Amino acid sequence: MPTAERHPTPLTTPAEERPGPDLTVMRKHYQHEGLAEEQLAADPVTQFTEWFHQADEAGVIEPNAMVLSTADAAGRPSSRTVLLKGFDRRGFVFFTNYGSRKGAELSVNPQAALLFPWIAIARQVLVTGRVEKVGRDETAAYFRTRPHGSQLGAWASEQSSPVAGREVLEQRYAELSRRYPEGEGVPVPPFWGGYRVVPEEVEFWQGRENRLHDRLRYIAEGGGWRVERLCP
């Protein structure tokens, strides 16, 4: 008599068959100190500087990581995480390939929003404003601070463009490594540079108990800043 074929018992359950987490009960109860109007600095950049240092001192991983949101000419939005590489009273600076999706969208719709999600300390900062390119001197100065490999990577990647496979990127990188070995200067790609988000509104969000969060927003007005409190 033929032996019945046995199928091994799977060690794991397919993802589609696993019960999903109960999202209705997933929540954190914030019990942090509040944010009052009288505690705010006179301008949002000074306030951001204070909060940024506090986030860094609290051990927030990459406190300069921010979600950048842009939109195309039709208003279709897109978001991605980028790194803040400088800020002052003129605005918040990041660098990228001009031909990337964000670069293409900013060319036709030079408005953007930034979100700093400092979840570990129940804080967020939201920045909205117009966007302008930084000067080539400022771009070159920053490019020279990047590690050699990152400089080559800026040349190797046609950011946001389809690529046949990872081996294509690695081949491009290898060719660039031979052309510009370690210790040899790498020119700044003409298709790569910085953008500055010039703030028009900056909101500081502090998580509070019972979802009664503090939300204080600076609004540019007449050469200065007006502050208003928003309902959570």
Side-chain angles (χ1 to χ4, degrees), residues 145-159:
T145 70
R146 289 166 62 95
H148 181 74
S150 296
Q151 293 179 359
L152 297 181
W155 278 97
S157 174
E158 298 175 2
Q159 196 174 86

Side-chain angles (χ1 to χ4, degrees), residues 3 5 18 34 41 52 62 70 138 146 150 154 166 206 221:
T3 303
E5 183 180 355
R18 299 177 197 166
F52 186 89
E62 290 194 297
T70 57
E138 187 173 348
R146 289 166 62 95
S150 296
R166 177 159 187 98
Q206 174 67 70
E221 189 173 82

